[in-house]
Coordinates of all heavy atoms in Angstrom, one line a residue:
M20 N 21.8 -0.5 -1.7 CA 21.4 -1.7 -2.1 C 19.9 -1.9 -1.7 O 19.4 -1.6 -0.7 CB 22.1 -2.9 -1.4 CG 21.7 -4.3 -1.8 SD 22.8 -5.5 -0.9 CE 23.1 -6.6 -2.2
R21 N 19.3 -2.4 -2.8 CA 17.8 -2.6 -2.5 C 17.5 -4.0 -2.0 O 18.0 -4.9 -2.4 CB 17.0 -2.4 -3.9 CG 17.3 -1.0 -4.5 CD 16.6 -0.9 -5.7 NE 15.0 -1.0 -5.5 CZ 14.2 -0.3 -6.1 NH1 14.6 0.5 -7.2 NH2 12.9 -0.4 -6.0
G22 N 16.4 -3.9 -1.0 CA 16.0 -5.3 -0.5 C 14.9 -5.9 -1.3 O 14.5 -5.2 -2.3
L23 N 14.5 -7.0 -0.8 CA 13.5 -7.8 -1.5 C 12.1 -7.2 -1.1 O 12.0 -6.6 0.0 CB 13.5 -9.3 -1.1 CG 14.7 -10.0 -1.5 CD1 14.7 -11.4 -0.9 CD2 14.8 -10.1 -2.9
P24 N 11.1 -7.3 -1.9 CA 9.9 -6.9 -1.4 C 9.3 -7.4 -0.2 O 9.4 -8.6 0.0 CB 8.9 -7.2 -2.6 CG 9.8 -7.4 -3.8 CD 11.1 -7.8 -3.1
S25 N 8.7 -6.7 0.7 CA 8.1 -7.1 2.0 C 6.7 -7.9 1.7 O 6.0 -7.3 0.7 CB 7.9 -6.1 2.9 OG 9.0 -5.4 3.4
S26 N 6.4 -8.8 2.2 CA 5.2 -9.5 2.1 C 4.1 -8.9 2.9 O 4.2 -9.1 4.2 CB 5.4 -11.0 2.3 OG 4.1 -11.6 2.2
I27 N 3.1 -8.2 2.3 CA 2.1 -7.5 3.1 C 0.7 -7.9 2.3 O 0.6 -8.0 1.2 CB 2.3 -6.2 3.4 CG1 2.5 -5.4 2.0 CG2 3.4 -5.9 4.1 CD1 2.6 -3.8 2.1
T28 N -0.3 -7.7 3.2 CA -1.7 -7.7 2.6 C -2.2 -6.3 2.7 O -2.2 -5.8 3.7 CB -2.7 -8.8 3.1 OG1 -2.0 -10.1 3.0 CG2 -4.0 -8.8 2.4
V29 N -2.5 -5.8 1.4 CA -3.1 -4.3 1.5 C -4.6 -4.3 1.0 O -4.8 -4.9 0.0 CB -2.3 -3.4 0.7 CG1 -2.8 -2.0 0.6 CG2 -0.8 -3.4 0.9
T30 N -5.4 -3.9 1.9 CA -6.8 -3.9 1.5 C -7.3 -2.4 1.5 O -7.0 -1.6 2.5 CB -7.7 -4.5 2.5 OG1 -7.3 -6.0 2.7 CG2 -9.2 -4.6 2.0
V31 N -7.8 -2.0 0.4 CA -8.2 -0.6 0.1 C -9.7 -0.4 -0.2 O -10.1 -1.2 -1.0 CB -7.4 0.1 -1.0 CG1 -7.9 1.5 -1.4 CG2 -5.8 -0.1 -0.7
S32 N -10.4 0.5 0.6 CA -11.8 0.8 0.2 C -11.8 2.1 -0.6 O -11.1 3.0 -0.3 CB -12.6 1.0 1.5 OG -12.6 -0.2 2.1
L33 N -12.5 2.1 -1.7 CA -12.5 3.2 -2.5 C -13.9 3.9 -2.7 O -14.8 3.2 -2.6 CB -12.1 2.9 -4.0 CG -10.7 2.2 -4.2 CD1 -10.7 1.7 -5.5 CD2 -9.8 3.2 -3.9
R34 N -14.0 5.0 -2.9 CA -15.2 5.8 -3.2 C -14.8 6.5 -4.5 O -14.0 7.5 -4.5 CB -15.6 6.7 -2.1 CG -16.8 7.5 -2.6 CD -17.5 8.3 -1.6 NE -18.2 7.4 -0.6 CZ -18.2 7.5 0.7 NH1 -17.8 8.7 1.3 NH2 -18.8 6.6 1.5
G35 N -15.3 5.9 -5.6 CA -14.9 6.5 -6.9 C -13.3 6.0 -7.1 O -13.0 5.0 -6.9
D36 N -12.4 7.0 -7.4 CA -11.0 6.6 -7.5 C -10.3 7.1 -6.2 O -9.0 7.0 -6.2 CB -10.4 7.3 -8.7 CG -10.4 8.8 -8.6 OD1 -11.1 9.4 -8.0 OD2 -9.6 9.4 -9.5
M37 N -11.0 7.7 -5.2 CA -10.4 8.0 -4.0 C -10.2 7.0 -2.9 O -11.2 6.2 -2.7 CB -11.1 9.2 -3.4 CG -11.2 10.4 -4.3 SD -9.7 11.2 -4.8 CE -9.6 12.2 -3.5
I38 N -9.2 6.8 -2.2 CA -8.9 5.9 -1.2 C -9.8 6.5 0.1 O -9.5 7.5 0.6 CB -7.4 5.8 -0.8 CG1 -6.7 5.2 -2.0 CG2 -7.3 4.9 0.4 CD1 -5.3 5.1 -1.9
R39 N -10.6 5.5 0.6 CA -11.5 5.9 1.7 C -10.9 5.2 3.0 O -11.1 5.8 4.1 CB -13.0 5.4 1.4 CG -13.9 5.8 2.2 CD -15.3 5.5 1.7 NE -15.6 4.3 2.7 CZ -16.5 3.3 2.4 NH1 -17.2 3.3 1.3 NH2 -16.7 2.4 3.3
D40 N -10.4 4.1 2.9 CA -9.9 3.3 4.1 C -8.8 2.4 3.6 O -8.8 1.8 2.5 CB -11.0 2.5 4.7 CG -10.5 2.1 6.1 OD1 -9.8 2.6 6.7 OD2 -11.1 0.9 6.4
V41 N -7.8 2.0 4.5 CA -6.7 1.3 4.1 C -6.4 0.3 5.4 O -6.4 0.7 6.4 CB -5.3 2.0 3.9 CG1 -4.2 1.1 3.4 CG2 -5.6 3.0 2.8
T42 N -6.1 -1.0 5.1 CA -5.8 -2.0 6.1 C -4.7 -2.6 5.5 O -4.4 -3.1 4.4 CB -6.9 -3.1 6.4 OG1 -8.1 -2.4 6.8 CG2 -6.4 -4.0 7.4
L43 N -3.3 -2.6 6.5 CA -2.2 -3.2 6.1 C -1.9 -4.4 7.1 O -2.0 -4.2 8.3 CB -1.0 -2.2 6.2 CG -1.3 -0.9 5.2 CD1 -0.2 0.1 5.6 CD2 -1.2 -1.3 3.9
R44 N -1.8 -5.6 6.6 CA -1.5 -6.7 7.4 C -0.1 -7.3 6.9 O 0.0 -7.9 5.9 CB -2.6 -7.8 7.4 CG -3.8 -7.3 7.9 CD -4.8 -8.6 8.0 NE -4.9 -9.1 6.7 CZ -6.0 -9.0 5.9 NH1 -6.9 -8.3 6.1 NH2 -5.9 -9.7 4.7
P45 N 0.9 -7.0 7.8 CA 2.2 -7.6 7.4 C 2.3 -9.1 7.6 O 1.6 -9.6 8.4 CB 3.2 -6.8 8.3 CG 2.3 -6.5 9.5 CD 1.0 -6.3 9.0
H46 N 3.1 -9.7 6.8 CA 3.7 -11.2 7.0 C 4.9 -11.2 7.5 O 5.8 -11.9 7.1 CB 3.3 -11.9 5.7 CG 2.0 -11.7 5.1 ND1 1.2 -12.8 5.0 CD2 1.3 -10.6 4.7 CE1 0.0 -12.4 4.4 NE2 0.1 -11.2 4.3
T47 N 5.3 -10.3 8.4 CA 6.6 -10.1 9.0 C 6.5 -9.6 10.3 O 5.5 -9.1 10.8 CB 7.4 -9.1 8.2 OG1 8.7 -8.9 8.7 CG2 6.8 -7.7 8.1
T48 N 7.6 -9.7 11.1 CA 7.7 -9.2 12.4 C 8.7 -8.0 12.4 O 9.2 -7.4 13.5 CB 8.0 -10.3 13.4 OG1 9.3 -10.8 13.0 CG2 7.1 -11.3 13.6
D49 N 9.1 -7.5 11.2 CA 10.1 -6.6 11.1 C 9.5 -5.2 11.9 O 8.5 -4.7 11.4 CB 10.2 -6.2 9.6 CG 11.1 -5.0 9.4 OD1 11.5 -4.2 10.3 OD2 11.7 -5.0 8.2
P50 N 10.3 -4.8 12.8 CA 9.7 -3.7 13.7 C 9.7 -2.5 12.9 O 8.8 -1.6 13.1 CB 10.7 -3.6 14.8 CG 11.9 -4.4 14.4 CD 11.4 -5.4 13.4
T51 N 10.4 -2.2 11.9 CA 10.4 -1.0 11.1 C 9.1 -1.0 10.3 O 8.3 0.1 10.4 CB 11.5 -1.0 10.1 OG1 12.8 -1.1 10.7 CG2 11.5 0.3 9.2
F52 N 8.7 -2.1 9.7 CA 7.5 -2.0 9.1 C 6.2 -1.9 10.1 O 5.2 -1.1 9.8 CB 7.1 -3.3 8.1 CG 5.8 -3.3 7.6 CD1 5.7 -2.5 6.4 CD2 4.7 -3.8 8.1 CE1 4.4 -2.5 5.7 CE2 3.4 -3.8 7.5 CZ 3.4 -3.0 6.3
L53 N 6.3 -2.7 11.2 CA 5.2 -2.4 12.1 C 5.0 -1.0 12.6 O 3.9 -0.6 12.7 CB 5.4 -3.4 13.3 CG 5.5 -4.9 12.9 CD1 5.8 -5.8 14.1 CD2 4.2 -5.3 12.4
D54 N 6.2 -0.4 12.7 CA 5.9 1.1 13.1 C 5.4 2.1 12.1 O 4.7 3.0 12.1 CB 7.3 1.6 13.5 CG 7.8 1.2 14.8 OD1 7.0 0.6 15.5 OD2 9.1 1.2 15.1
L55 N 5.8 1.6 10.7 CA 5.4 2.5 9.6 C 4.0 2.2 9.2 O 3.3 3.0 8.4 CB 6.4 2.2 8.5 CG 7.7 2.9 8.6 CD1 8.7 2.5 7.6 CD2 7.7 4.4 8.7
R56 N 3.4 1.1 9.3 CA 2.1 0.7 8.7 C 1.0 1.7 9.0 O 0.3 2.0 8.1 CB 1.8 -0.7 9.0 CG 1.3 -0.9 10.3 CD 0.9 -2.4 10.4 NE 0.9 -2.7 11.9 CZ 0.2 -3.8 12.4 NH1 -0.3 -4.8 11.6 NH2 0.1 -3.9 13.7
R57 N 0.8 2.2 10.3 CA -0.2 3.1 10.5 C 0.0 4.4 9.8 O -0.8 5.0 9.3 CB -0.2 3.3 12.0 CG -1.1 2.3 12.7 CD -1.3 2.6 14.2 NE -0.8 1.4 15.0 CZ 0.0 1.4 15.9 NH1 0.5 2.5 16.3 NH2 0.4 0.2 16.4
W58 N 1.2 4.9 9.8 CA 1.5 5.9 9.0 C 1.2 5.8 7.6 O 0.7 6.8 6.9 CB 3.0 6.4 9.2 CG 3.4 7.6 8.3 CD1 3.2 8.9 8.7 CD2 4.0 7.6 7.2 NE1 3.8 9.8 7.7 CE2 4.4 9.0 6.8 CE3 4.6 6.5 6.4 CZ2 4.8 9.3 5.6 CZ3 5.1 6.9 5.1 CH2 5.3 8.3 4.7
L59 N 1.7 4.7 7.0 CA 1.4 4.6 5.5 C 0.0 4.6 5.3 O -0.5 5.3 4.2 CB 1.9 3.1 5.1 CG 3.4 3.1 4.9 CD1 3.9 1.7 4.7 CD2 4.0 3.9 3.8
A60 N -1.0 3.9 6.1 CA -2.3 4.0 5.9 C -3.0 5.4 6.0 O -3.7 5.7 5.1 CB -3.1 3.0 6.8
T61 N -2.5 6.2 6.9 CA -3.2 7.5 7.2 C -2.8 8.4 6.1 O -3.6 9.2 5.6 CB -2.8 8.2 8.5 OG1 -1.3 8.2 8.6 CG2 -3.4 7.3 9.7
V62 N -1.6 8.3 5.4 CA -1.2 9.3 4.5 C -1.9 8.9 3.1 O -2.0 9.8 2.2 CB 0.3 9.5 4.2 CG1 0.9 9.9 5.5 CG2 1.0 8.2 3.8
M63 N -2.4 7.8 3.0 CA -3.2 7.4 1.7 C -4.6 7.8 1.7 O -5.1 8.0 0.6 CB -3.1 5.8 1.6 CG -1.6 5.2 1.3 SD -1.7 3.5 1.3 CE -2.9 3.2 0.1
I64 N -5.2 7.9 2.9 CA -6.7 8.2 2.9 C -7.0 9.5 2.4 O -6.3 10.5 2.6 CB -7.2 8.0 4.3 CG1 -7.0 6.5 4.8 CG2 -8.6 8.5 4.4 CD1 -7.3 6.3 6.2
G65 N -7.9 9.6 1.3 CA -8.4 10.7 0.8 C -7.5 11.3 -0.5 O -7.7 12.2 -1.1
K66 N -6.6 10.3 -1.0 CA -5.7 10.5 -2.2 C -6.4 9.6 -3.3 O -6.9 8.5 -3.0 CB -4.3 10.1 -1.9 CG -3.7 10.8 -0.7 CD -2.4 11.5 -1.2 CE -1.6 12.3 -0.1 NZ -2.3 12.8 0.9
P67 N -6.0 10.0 -4.4 CA -6.5 9.2 -5.6 C -5.7 7.9 -5.6 O -4.5 8.0 -5.5 CB -6.3 10.0 -6.9 CG -6.3 11.5 -6.3 CD -5.8 11.3 -4.8
L68 N -6.2 6.8 -5.9 CA -5.5 5.5 -6.0 C -4.4 5.6 -6.9 O -3.3 5.1 -6.7 CB -6.4 4.4 -6.4 CG -5.8 3.0 -6.4 CD1 -5.2 2.6 -5.1 CD2 -6.9 2.0 -6.9
V69 N -4.6 6.3 -8.1 CA -3.5 6.3 -9.2 C -2.3 7.1 -8.7 O -1.2 6.9 -9.3 CB -4.1 6.8 -10.5 CG1 -5.2 5.9 -11.0 CG2 -4.7 8.2 -10.4
E70 N -2.5 8.0 -7.7 CA -1.4 8.9 -7.3 C -0.5 8.3 -6.1 O 0.6 8.7 -5.9 CB -1.8 10.1 -7.0 CG -2.5 11.0 -8.1 CD -2.9 12.3 -7.5 OE1 -2.7 12.8 -6.5 OE2 -3.6 13.0 -8.5
V71 N -0.9 7.3 -5.5 CA -0.2 6.8 -4.3 C 0.9 5.8 -4.7 O 0.7 4.9 -5.4 CB -1.3 6.0 -3.4 CG1 -0.5 5.4 -2.2 CG2 -2.5 6.9 -2.9
K72 N 2.0 6.2 -4.2 CA 3.3 5.4 -4.4 C 4.2 5.7 -3.2 O 4.4 6.9 -2.9 CB 4.0 5.7 -5.7 CG 5.1 4.8 -5.9 CD 5.7 5.0 -7.3 CE 6.9 4.1 -7.6 NZ 7.5 4.2 -8.9
V73 N 4.8 4.6 -2.8 CA 5.7 4.9 -1.6 C 7.1 4.8 -2.1 O 7.5 4.1 -2.9 CB 5.6 3.7 -0.6 CG1 6.6 3.8 0.5 CG2 4.2 3.6 0.1
G74 N 7.9 6.0 -1.7 CA 9.3 6.0 -2.2 C 10.2 5.4 -1.1 O 9.7 4.5 -0.4
R75 N 11.3 5.9 -1.0 CA 12.4 5.3 -0.1 C 12.1 5.8 1.3 O 11.6 6.8 1.7 CB 13.8 5.9 -0.6 CG 14.2 5.5 -1.9 CD 15.4 6.1 -2.3 NE 16.6 5.2 -1.8 CZ 17.7 5.5 -1.8 NH1 18.2 6.6 -2.4 NH2 18.7 4.8 -1.3
L76 N 12.2 4.8 2.2 CA 12.0 4.9 3.5 C 13.3 4.5 4.3 O 13.8 3.4 4.0 CB 10.8 4.1 4.1 CG 9.4 4.4 3.4 CD1 8.5 3.4 3.9 CD2 9.0 5.8 4.0
A77 N 13.9 5.2 5.1 CA 15.0 5.0 5.7 C 15.0 3.7 6.5 O 14.2 3.4 7.3 CB 15.6 6.1 6.7
G78 N 15.9 2.8 6.3 CA 16.1 1.6 7.0 C 15.1 0.5 6.5 O 14.8 -0.5 7.3
S79 N 14.2 0.7 5.5 CA 13.3 -0.2 5.2 C 13.2 -0.3 3.6 O 12.1 -0.3 3.0 CB 11.9 0.3 5.7 OG 11.7 1.6 5.1
S80 N 14.2 -0.8 3.0 CA 14.2 -0.8 1.5 C 13.2 -1.8 0.9 O 12.7 -1.6 -0.1 CB 15.6 -1.2 1.1 OG 16.1 -2.4 1.6
G81 N 12.9 -2.9 1.6 CA 11.9 -3.8 1.1 C 10.4 -3.4 1.2 O 9.6 -3.8 0.5
I82 N 10.1 -2.5 2.2 CA 8.8 -2.0 2.4 C 8.2 -1.4 1.3 O 7.1 -1.7 0.7 CB 8.7 -1.2 3.8 CG1 9.0 -2.1 4.9 CG2 7.3 -0.6 3.8 CD1 9.1 -1.3 6.2
P83 N 8.9 -0.3 0.6 CA 8.3 0.3 -0.6 C 7.9 -0.6 -1.7 O 7.0 -0.4 -2.4 CB 9.2 1.4 -0.9 CG 9.9 1.7 0.3 CD 10.0 0.4 1.1
L84 N 9.0 -1.5 -2.0 CA 8.8 -2.5 -3.1 C 7.5 -3.3 -2.9 O 6.8 -3.5 -3.8 CB 10.0 -3.4 -3.2 CG 11.3 -2.5 -3.5 CD1 12.5 -3.6 -3.3 CD2 11.4 -1.9 -4.8
G85 N 7.3 -3.9 -1.8 CA 6.2 -4.9 -1.5 C 4.9 -4.0 -1.5 O 3.9 -4.5 -1.9
F86 N 5.0 -2.8 -0.8 CA 3.7 -2.0 -0.8 C 3.4 -1.5 -2.2 O 2.2 -1.6 -2.5 CB 4.0 -0.8 0.1 CG 2.8 0.1 0.4 CD1 1.8 -0.4 1.4 CD2 2.7 1.2 -0.2 CE1 0.9 0.4 1.6 CE2 1.5 1.9 0.0 CZ 0.6 1.5 1.0
N87 N 4.3 -1.0 -3.1 CA 4.0 -0.5 -4.4 C 3.4 -1.8 -5.2 O 2.6 -1.6 -6.1 CB 5.1 0.1 -5.0 CG 5.3 1.5 -4.3 OD1 4.4 2.0 -3.9 ND2 6.6 1.9 -4.2
A88 N 4.0 -3.0 -5.0 CA 3.4 -4.0 -5.8 C 2.1 -4.4 -5.5 O 1.2 -4.7 -6.2 CB 4.4 -5.3 -5.5
A89 N 1.8 -4.4 -4.2 CA 0.3 -4.5 -3.6 C -0.6 -3.4 -4.3 O -1.7 -3.8 -4.8 CB 0.2 -4.5 -2.2
L90 N -0.2 -2.2 -4.3 CA -1.0 -1.2 -4.9 C -1.2 -1.3 -6.4 O -2.4 -1.2 -6.8 CB -0.4 0.2 -4.6 CG -0.4 0.7 -3.2 CD1 0.3 2.0 -3.2 CD2 -1.9 0.9 -2.9
E91 N -0.2 -1.8 -7.0 CA -0.4 -2.2 -8.6 C -1.4 -3.2 -8.7 O -2.3 -3.2 -9.6 CB 1.0 -2.7 -9.1 CG 1.0 -2.6 -10.6 CD 0.5 -1.3 -11.2 OE1 0.7 -0.1 -10.8 OE2 -0.3 -1.3 -12.2
Q92 N -1.5 -4.3 -7.8 CA -2.5 -5.3 -8.0 C -3.9 -4.8 -7.7 O -4.8 -5.0 -8.4 CB -2.1 -6.5 -7.0 CG -1.0 -7.3 -7.3 CD -0.7 -8.4 -6.3 OE1 -1.4 -8.5 -5.4 NE2 0.3 -9.3 -6.6
I93 N -3.9 -3.8 -6.8 CA -5.2 -3.2 -6.4 C -5.8 -2.3 -7.6 O -6.9 -2.3 -7.9 CB -5.1 -2.3 -5.1 CG1 -4.9 -3.3 -4.0 CG2 -6.4 -1.4 -4.9 CD1 -4.4 -2.6 -2.6
R94 N -4.7 -1.6 -8.3 CA -5.2 -0.7 -9.3 C -5.7 -1.7 -10.5 O -6.7 -1.3 -11.2 CB -3.9 -0.1 -9.8 CG -3.6 1.3 -8.9 CD -2.4 2.0 -9.4 NE -1.9 2.9 -8.6 CZ -0.8 2.7 -7.8 NH1 -0.1 1.8 -8.0 NH2 -0.5 3.7 -7.0
T95 N -5.0 -2.8 -10.8 CA -5.5 -3.7 -11.8 C -6.8 -4.2 -11.5 O -7.7 -4.4 -12.4 CB -4.4 -4.8 -11.9 OG1 -3.1 -4.3 -12.3 CG2 -4.7 -5.8 -12.9
Q96 N -7.1 -4.6 -10.2 CA -8.4 -5.1 -9.8 C -9.5 -4.1 -10.0 O -10.6 -4.4 -10.5 CB -8.4 -5.7 -8.5 CG -7.6 -7.0 -8.3 CD -7.4 -7.4 -6.7 OE1 -7.8 -6.7 -5.9 NE2 -6.6 -8.3 -6.7
A97 N -9.1 -2.9 -9.5 CA -10.0 -1.7 -9.7 C -10.4 -1.5 -11.2 O -11.6 -1.2 -11.5 CB -9.5 -0.5 -9.0
T98 N -9.4 -1.6 -12.0 CA -9.6 -1.3 -13.5 C -10.6 -2.4 -14.0 O -11.4 -2.1 -14.8 CB -8.4 -1.2 -14.2 OG1 -7.5 -0.1 -13.6 CG2 -8.6 -1.0 -15.7
Q99 N -10.3 -3.7 -13.7 CA -11.0 -4.8 -14.2 C -12.5 -4.6 -13.7 O -13.3 -5.0 -14.4 CB -10.4 -6.1 -13.7 CG -9.0 -6.4 -14.5 CD -8.5 -7.7 -13.8 OE1 -8.8 -8.0 -12.9 NE2 -7.3 -8.0 -14.6
G100 N -12.6 -4.2 -12.4 CA -14.0 -4.0 -12.0 C -14.8 -3.1 -12.8 O -16.0 -3.1 -12.9
D101 N -14.0 -1.9 -13.3 CA -14.8 -0.9 -14.1 C -15.2 -1.4 -15.4 O -16.1 -0.9 -16.0 CB -13.8 0.2 -14.3 CG -13.5 1.0 -13.1 OD1 -14.3 0.9 -12.2 OD2 -12.6 1.9 -13.0
D102 N -14.5 -2.5 -15.9 CA -14.9 -3.1 -17.3 C -16.1 -4.1 -17.2 O -16.6 -4.4 -18.3 CB -13.7 -3.9 -17.7 CG -12.5 -2.9 -18.0 OD1 -12.7 -1.8 -18.2 OD2 -11.3 -3.5 -18.2
R103 N -16.6 -4.4 -16.0 CA -17.7 -5.2 -16.0 C -19.1 -4.7 -16.2 O -19.3 -3.5 -16.2 CB -17.7 -5.9 -14.5 CG -16.5 -6.8 -14.4 CD -16.6 -7.5 -13.1 NE -15.4 -8.2 -13.0 CZ -15.0 -8.7 -11.7 NH1 -15.7 -8.6 -10.7 NH2 -13.8 -9.3 -11.7

């Protein structure tokens, strides 16, 4: 069974299309997410923004949904910034 998206704020610094830095601020006290947020940030650095997507994580069905939704918003904002 899939959970609801977790509420998080994701801030990404880009150099071109590559992720340079990531800050994850959870709006939860879920210990599973708090343990995973540092890991999530470090595996994203150095990867192209368009390739980053979080899959299933044991015991944390809502985390990938919320995280991927935040990344999609970031991609949209980055694309809109390219059109200016």
